[in-house]
Amino acid sequence: MSNVSDINVFLLLGFSEQFEQNVLIFFFVLVLYLTALIANFLIISAVSFHHQLHTPMYFFLMNLSVMDLGSISVIIPKAMINAFLNSREISYYGCMTQVFFLFFFIISDLFLLTAMAYDRYIAICDPLRYESIMDTKACLQLTAIVWIAGLLFSAWHTCSTFAINFCSNILNQFFCEVPQLLKVSCDNAYLFEVGVIVLNACISLGCFSFIIISYVQIFKSVLRIPTSQGRNKAFSTCFPHLIVVSLLISTGSIAYLKPTSDSPSDVDVVIAVLYCVIPPLMNPIIYTMRNKEIKIALWKMFKCEI
């Protein structure tokens, strides 16, 4: 039985052992990754270069795209390299880096979505005071709090995870996932990390509850809007946010609350893709499908380039 001092690398068993299948996986993941990169870069560019989008809502949306780029870039490039080279190894410190940055971006993502719910609440329920409450200083302060809180929670989470002694270096996943790391622990130190996961679950539940309460008040205000055009405009800015929140919370909860399997499982890989890859890919699509201002900004940007 080896402990953490003897482990220099972890073996990731999430992908197939056959080289041909790994090549197919490489190209499939590459398409997903490039699509997510392009979509999020378009959102960032549209918000950055068009002054009509310099509002709190789009400022938060730009930060969300940055976080999505970070979260997907933490695991996908390494997974593609392993698939293409038919390799399974990741260094101990590489694994630690993955855990730290993945939690950093995902937790920051959740905090930012909560801040965006507050922004929508003020915009719809208290529109006369919106500009004075959500001014530039307030937006910068909220964003700084989001990033700092994500950094602190991620550092705490990573330290508690890698304070554990590991009995094995085999992980049944294509990246360093915390439930898989806890499964190969060989002492009771994992109980502390389980406590941290419970705390994170409570924080996630608190953020989700705040978002739901905010939207209950938002929908009450929207239903009192006299014109159908006003109601449709309000709903068009709210529903994408609710879809993004539901997607992140549901897939993350399934990944961390379900029992880990004793052998490599396709279900584990699919669930990991759902909460690590699909949200960064879907968020730009969800936010642009019914957002005319983003569409107009993107059209102007492409028109200028042509």
Side-chain angles (χ1 to χ4, degrees), residues 84-104:
F84 188 75
L85 299 179
N86 202 29
S87 172
R88 295 178 178 277
E89 294 186 356
I90 183 171
S91 69
Y92 174 80
Y93 291 106
C95 186
M96 184 184 294
T97 301
Q98 277 195 344
V99 171
F100 174 81
F101 282 105
L102 185 60
F103 267 96
F104 171 56

Side-chain angles (χ1 to χ4, degrees), residues 15 23 51 59 62 87 93 132 165 172 189 222 227 280 287 299:
F15 288 150
V23 172
H51 294 289
F59 174 72
M62 182 177 67
S87 172
Y93 291 106
S132 61
N165 290 328
N172 296 324
V222 169
T227 63
Y287 274 109
W299 171 251

Side-chain angles (χ1 to χ4, degrees), residues 189-221:
Y190 79 92
L191 292 175
F192 178 71
E193 174 60 11
V194 170
V196 175
I197 291 179
V198 171
L199 176 61
N200 285 340
C202 293
I203 293 171
S204 300
L205 181 61
C207 291
F208 186 66
S209 299
F210 178 86
I211 292 170
I212 294 299
I213 293 172
S214 299
Y215 272 97
V216 169
Q217 299 301 318
I218 287 172
F219 289 143
K220 286 181 180 179
S221 298

